[in-house]
Amino acid sequence: MEIDYQLKPKSQRRTEEFVPDKPLPFGLLRTDHMFVMDYEDGEWKNPRIVPYGPVELPPGAIVLHYGQAIFEGAKAFQHEDGEIYTFRIDKNARRMNRSAEILCIPKIDEDIQIEAIEALIDVDRLWFPKQEGASLYIRPFIFATQDSLGVHPSVSYKFMVMLSPSGPYYPQGFTKPIKLLITKRFHRAAPGGTGSAKAAGNYAASLQAGEFAKRFGASQVLYLDVNNEYIEEAGAMNHFHITSDGTVVIPEFTDTILRSITSESVMELSGRMGIDVKQERVRIDEFVEGVKSGAIVEAGGFGTAAVVSPVGEYVFEDGTSIIVGNNEVGNYTKRIYEYYTGIQTGKIEAPQGWLKKVPRRV
């Protein structure tokens, strides 16, 4: 791929390493540039890296009316050798294309996606935040640009990549468990819909539930299936729980659950970490009883942004709640988090192909 580098003048770009003087928020900062590529006349074309800034769209763009948009979330880390490494970026590229198929968006070759991400990181590598627990968050996304009010797939799109030097997703980091609301009032997705895609509309649909959860002091809702029988997701993360014998249980993937790359990675790492991981459908009544009886000793969520989010309490709409274990970060959860982040940061040897060094191009 021939990328057109339309970069800011050097005098307007970062010229030294980024050493934050206070804890970084998640997802609010931007680097100097972004990658852009257009889909027109049946092909992806005009790949370029340009200064980060507004995107011009017609008011009738299909994305603004019918939400034809998908995205991904990945991370890159600087290792002791001073180089930046992406983590399982091929999995993100593959999932982007799965989402594209569900939303009737033209796919992008996985190698092209990866090259676009690497080229942008290389241009803005000085933006990597030199702070404990921080990373370079990567957000690739595709949205429909055709000016049309007819309900149909667009004939034109933009693929873009932006970078955000970020701290932990939750301000308290990994030190304090979160609380989730168990409610039958809201559902994230229905069978046969877009639940297994990383579609923008899925997240818009979750906002009301998230705001409702805050009334109970909860960070998010624990979503159930449409029949309110089985656990599906924990807000924007895959849910998990750990039984008293140390088995990690992740709800079975269905077309209403987004396949978390973190969940898949934890399953692949189970042997290395010395833990048993299995997937099964989890009945909410059995889960609640397990927490109450002590058969379930730890719980949480797996996702790229937060990696592992321990859950210490589940609250119900009547104000009652159940505590998991002792409402602290459990030993198994801690082991998973430390091993997983150790691989990401280069402190623990990664499986072949999981880490990819960003080439120096410019």
Side-chain angles (χ1 to χ4, degrees):
M1 175 171 60
E2 290 292 327
I3 299 173
D4 182 11
Y5 288 85
Q6 304 172 24
L7 307 184
K8 287 182 175 181
K10 287 190 176 180
S11 61
Q12 298 177 23
R13 293 159 55 187
R14 174 166 288 281
T15 57
E16 56 187 32
E17 291 186 329
F18 179 33
V19 184
D21 58 3
K22 56 185 177 181
L24 284 179
F26 177 84
L28 292 182
L29 297 184
R30 303 288 177 263
T31 63
D32 288 325
H33 300 91
M34 58 188 184
F35 178 92
V36 186
M37 185 165 63
D38 304 305
Y39 184 83
E40 296 172 345
D41 304 320
E43 63 177 324
W44 287 102
K45 59 179 69 173
N46 192 21
R48 58 204 183 273
I49 293 178
V50 300
Y52 181 85
V55 177
E56 185 173 306
L57 274 178
I62 285 177
V63 67
L64 300 178
H65 300 268
Y66 307 123
Q68 196 186 12
I70 56 176
F71 68 96
E72 270 300 321
K75 286 181 177 178
F77 302 84
Q78 190 172 56
H79 291 189
E80 289 185 0
D81 62 3
E83 298 296 328
I84 296 177
Y85 293 78
T86 57
F87 178 77
R88 307 214 76 179
I89 200 71
D90 57 319
K91 298 275 284 184
N92 293 99
R94 197 168 304 131
R95 190 171 66 177
M96 177 76 95
N97 278 341
R98 287 201 300 267
S99 297
E101 185 174 359
I102 293 171
L103 271 289
C104 298
I105 292 172
K107 296 179 181 180
I108 303 175
D109 182 273
E110 292 172 21
D111 290 338
I112 289 177
Q113 293 185 53
I114 293 170
E115 185 178 354
I117 291 167
E118 290 179 341
L120 181 61
I121 292 175
D122 181 42
V123 165
D124 283 345
R125 65 173 60 240
L126 287 176
W127 274 98
F128 185 88
K130 309 282 280 190
Q131 186 178 87
E132 183 68 28
S135 63
L136 198 58
Y137 185 75
I138 306 163
R139 171 53 59 85
F141 55 109
I142 306 173
F143 56 93
T145 57
Q146 182 185 1
D147 191 344
S148 173
L149 297 182
V151 182
H152 56 78
S154 179
V155 299
S156 60
Y157 301 85
K158 281 191 184 297
F159 168 62
M160 301 181 65
V161 183
M162 53 191 274
L163 304 174
S164 178
S166 293
Y169 187 76
Y170 293 108
Q172 69 269 28
F174 187 71
T175 60
K176 185 178 179 182
I178 63 173
K179 180 193 298 186
L180 293 180
L181 171 67
I182 296 178
T183 175
K184 297 179 179 180
R185 185 177 304 205
F186 299 98
H187 298 92
R188 177 184 169 275
T194 62
S196 62
K198 205 163 177 63
N202 293 345
Y203 293 78
S206 75
L207 298 179
Q208 185 182 17
E211 291 301 302
F212 183 74
K214 290 178 182 177
R215 301 183 197 177
F216 300 85
S219 299
Q220 252 297 350
V221 163
L222 178 64
Y223 288 105
L224 308 179
D225 73 319
V226 293
N227 295 314
N228 293 319
E229 294 178 359
Y230 295 95
I231 290 175
E232 294 211 321
E233 299 214 82
M237 304 175 290
N238 281 175
H239 189 262
F240 74 89
H241 70 260
I242 303 176
T243 58
S244 56
D245 66 356
T247 301
V248 180
V249 181
I250 300 170
E252 183 180 305
F253 294 140
T254 67
D255 67 349
T256 56
I257 295 177
L258 180 71
R259 297 174 68 99
S260 166
I261 292 168
T262 308
S263 291
E264 293 182 326
S265 299
V266 168
M267 286 188 277
E268 292 177 52
L269 291 170
S270 60
R272 286 178 169 229
M273 294 188 292
I275 58 174
D276 291 324
V277 183
K278 67 178 182 179
Q279 281 194 292
E280 63 184 24
R281 300 200 74 186
V282 180
R283 293 188 65 91
I284 183 60
D285 54 353
E286 293 177 359
F287 172 76
V288 171
E289 182 55 38
V291 172
K292 289 180 178 178
S293 70
I296 292 173
V297 295
E298 300 177 33
F302 290 139
T304 297
V307 185
V308 182
S309 288
V311 176
E313 181 179 0
Y314 295 84
V315 62
F316 301 89
E317 284 192 58
D318 63 3
T320 62
S321 65
I322 52 175
I323 301 296
V324 185
N326 56 6
N327 200 12
E328 295 180 357
V329 180
N331 290 331
Y332 290 107
T333 301
K334 188 178 298 182
R335 185 195 305 180
I336 294 169
Y337 177 80
E338 290 177 349
Y339 197 94
Y340 198 88
T341 56
I343 287 177
Q344 290 179 320
T345 55
K347 297 172 184 174
I348 295 175
E349 184 179 358
Q352 183 68 33
W354 281 32
L355 296 171
K356 197 168 187 298
K357 183 165 72 173
V358 174
R360 292 181 178 268
R361 303 165 185 259
V362 295

